């Protein structure tokens, strides 16, 4: 079975490997529900406890899928979902972090997930028009009512993390983090250590770049989010492929696939935070630690290997924005 990791200091414990469910309903082209449910059950049977979804995935379809998959198995799972958008006629219609919308969102998520509580409730993106104190306070009310157990933030910056945590304890912050996307290291991760907040890194394979199997934006169907992602376009794509090539070269030397020698978030203990888990997993991960000046990787292939990736190889042509 998988070891557990603590998220925050409020009592939340999750498996060291989690499963991000978004791609089972949206964003990566056609999805097969039967295969998705089989995957969810397989993860449960092998000790995965943390399952990550959101109202916007589908929208709604992903929460409904997870609700069906976890029916009669709910006690084995830690369910994380997200709020923070207006959804009109099945489409994204803007950010909405108002307390009344949060209360409406939790009722919808509870219904779709077929549960009486949500373990980890994230604000999906910061609404700049609503003070974060109001958001944290609203979720705090839901915790006291028993509808939510823990508060999380997704893609939040240091200022909002601190302000929210001062209002109501934040147990986890979810952000993209891998060898390919390391913008958290200068400010976010030190703040999480200081505040004793868990890090939930997603996309440990760098949206596929670290596998060596990515294509240009125009080669993906219009229904795939990568079709419109600037990181997959033109010169950005070329720069990102070059940056990821070092992983492929090292993997080839050891007779392994690039995806097996990946990602600073994977089952991390040492330098990031011993409380950080590895949810939102695109593939089962095993390994590693990071250092401020270089990426230190240990990967199980034939034996252990250790390497350093020069700073010059770690940049990206385009970085995604994080709210302040």
């Amino acid at each position: 079975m998988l070891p557990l990791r603590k998220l925050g200091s409020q009592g939340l414990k999750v498996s060291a490997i989690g499963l991000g469910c978004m791609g089972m309903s949206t964003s990566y082209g056609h999805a097969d529900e039967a295969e998705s449910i089989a995957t969810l059950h397989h993860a449960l049977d092998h000790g995965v406890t943390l399952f990550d979804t959101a109202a916007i995935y589908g929208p709604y379809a992903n929460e409904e899928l997870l609700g069906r998959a976890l029916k009669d198995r709910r006690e084995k799972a830690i369910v994380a979902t997200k709020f923070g958008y207006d959804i009109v006629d099945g489409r994204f219609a803007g950010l909405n972090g108002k307390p009344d919308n949060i209360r409406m969102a939790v009722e919808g998520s509870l219904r779709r997930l077929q549960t009486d509580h949500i373990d980890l409730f994230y604000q999906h993106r910061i609404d700049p028009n609503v003070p974060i104190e109001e958001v944290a306070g609203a979720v705090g009310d839901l915790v006291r009512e028993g509808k939510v157990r823990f508060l999380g933030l997704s893609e939040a910056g240091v200022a909002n993390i601190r302000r929210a945590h001062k209002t109501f304890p934040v147990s986890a912050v979810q952000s993209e983090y891998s060898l390919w996307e390391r913008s958290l290291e200068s400010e976010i991760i030190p703040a999480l250590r200081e505040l004793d907040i868990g890090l939930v890194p997603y996309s440990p394979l760098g949206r596929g770049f670290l596998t060596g199997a990515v294509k240009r934006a125009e080669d993906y169907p219009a229904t795939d989010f990568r079709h419109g992602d600037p990181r997959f376009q033109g010169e950005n794509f070329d720069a990102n492929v070059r940056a990821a090539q070092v992983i492929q070269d090292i993997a080839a030397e050891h007779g392994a696939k690039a995806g097996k020698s990946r990602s600073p978030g994977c089952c991390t203990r040492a330098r990031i935070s011993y409380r950080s888990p590895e949810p939102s997993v695109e593939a089962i991960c095993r390994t590693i630690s990071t250092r401020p000046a270089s990426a230190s990787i240990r990967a199980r292939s034939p034996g252990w290997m250790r390497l350093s990736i020069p700073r010059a190889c770690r940049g990206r042509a385009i970085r995604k924005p994080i709210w302040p």
Side-chain angles (χ1 to χ4, degrees):
M1 301 301 285
L2 294 169
L4 298 179
R5 298 284 189 266
K6 291 174 62 178
L7 283 179
S9 58
Q10 293 74 48
L12 178 57
K13 294 183 179 180
V14 300
S15 54
I17 295 173
L19 184 60
C21 304
M22 180 184 76
M24 297 179 179
S25 301
T26 187
S27 298
Y28 289 98
H30 174 72
D32 184 306
E33 177 166 329
E35 182 179 358
S36 296
I37 290 178
T39 300
L40 291 163
H41 288 170
H42 182 79
L44 271 174
D45 293 341
H46 286 77
V48 174
T49 65
L50 181 57
F51 295 86
D52 184 278
T53 183
I56 197 66
Y57 299 161
Y60 307 137
N62 199 240
E63 286 185 327
E64 293 169 344
L65 171 69
L66 188 58
R68 290 192 292 273
L70 295 181
K71 191 174 183 179
D72 301 326
R73 302 191 185 200
R74 178 64 179 89
E75 73 284 354
K76 297 181 179 180
I78 300 295
V79 174
T81 191
K82 310 178 194 76
F83 65 90
Y85 295 118
D86 276 327
I87 300 171
V88 179
D89 296 329
R91 294 180 179 274
F92 167 76
L95 295 168
N96 190 340
K98 295 178 180 178
D100 59 346
N101 188 60
I102 295 173
R103 186 163 290 277
M104 182 173 66
V106 77
E107 296 299 339
S109 291
L110 289 171
R111 182 177 65 254
R112 289 185 292 272
L113 289 164
Q114 301 185 46
T115 186
D116 62 356
H117 69 279
I118 292 164
D119 296 295
L120 181 56
F121 204 34
Y122 291 104
Q123 184 177 28
H124 207 155
R125 293 294 184 271
I126 300 297
D127 183 349
N129 297 313
V130 179
I132 193 66
E133 291 84 356
E134 293 185 16
V135 174
V139 177
D141 289 341
L142 295 174
V143 171
R144 285 182 282 271
E145 294 171 18
K147 295 180 178 181
V148 170
R149 294 179 62 212
F150 302 99
L151 166 64
L153 299 175
S154 180
E155 297 289 9
V158 171
N160 276 313
I161 293 170
R162 290 186 182 280
R163 289 166 54 197
H165 192 63
K166 189 174 181 179
T167 303
F168 188 85
V170 177
S171 296
V173 169
Q174 182 183 96
S175 286
E176 183 174 354
Y177 186 50
S178 67
L179 284 176
W180 184 64
E181 171 53 74
R182 301 182 67 178
S183 58
L184 304 184
E185 292 178 357
S186 60
E187 296 183 356
I188 302 292
I189 289 175
L192 299 185
R193 286 199 193 103
E194 174 193 339
L195 299 173
D196 202 4
I197 297 172
L199 172 65
V200 179
Y202 69 85
S203 291
L205 299 181
R207 303 288 188 179
F209 274 99
L210 297 181
T211 70
V214 291
K215 300 179 289 186
R216 291 184 176 275
E218 58 268 26
D219 295 327
Y220 289 104
T223 54
D224 191 308
F225 95 97
R226 290 168 291 188
H227 183 83
D229 190 329
R231 295 176 291 184
F232 289 78
Q233 298 172 356
E235 294 180 356
N236 298 329
F237 177 85
D238 296 333
N240 287 327
V241 168
R242 287 194 298 271
Q245 184 62 46
V246 65
I247 302 297
Q248 297 172 52
D249 293 343
I250 295 296
E253 290 177 14
H254 291 264
K257 292 184 179 180
K260 290 186 177 181
S261 47
R262 59 193 174 257
S263 182
C266 299
C267 297
T268 288
R269 282 179 175 269
R271 294 280 185 162
I272 301 173
S273 166
Y274 64 92
R275 293 181 177 86
S276 299
E278 170 49 15
S280 206
V281 177
E282 293 167 337
I284 295 298
C285 304
R286 298 187 182 278
T287 77
I288 77 174
S289 60
T290 63
R291 293 185 225 165
S294 64
S296 171
I297 306 173
R298 296 184 300 170
R300 285 191 197 275
S301 40
W304 288 96
M305 64 181 177
R306 194 172 182 86
L307 61 141
S308 291
I309 297 178
R311 186 178 296 278
C313 294
R314 294 187 283 137
R316 293 227 339 267
I318 278 193
R319 291 192 181 277
K320 59 186 182 57
I322 295 180
W323 290 105

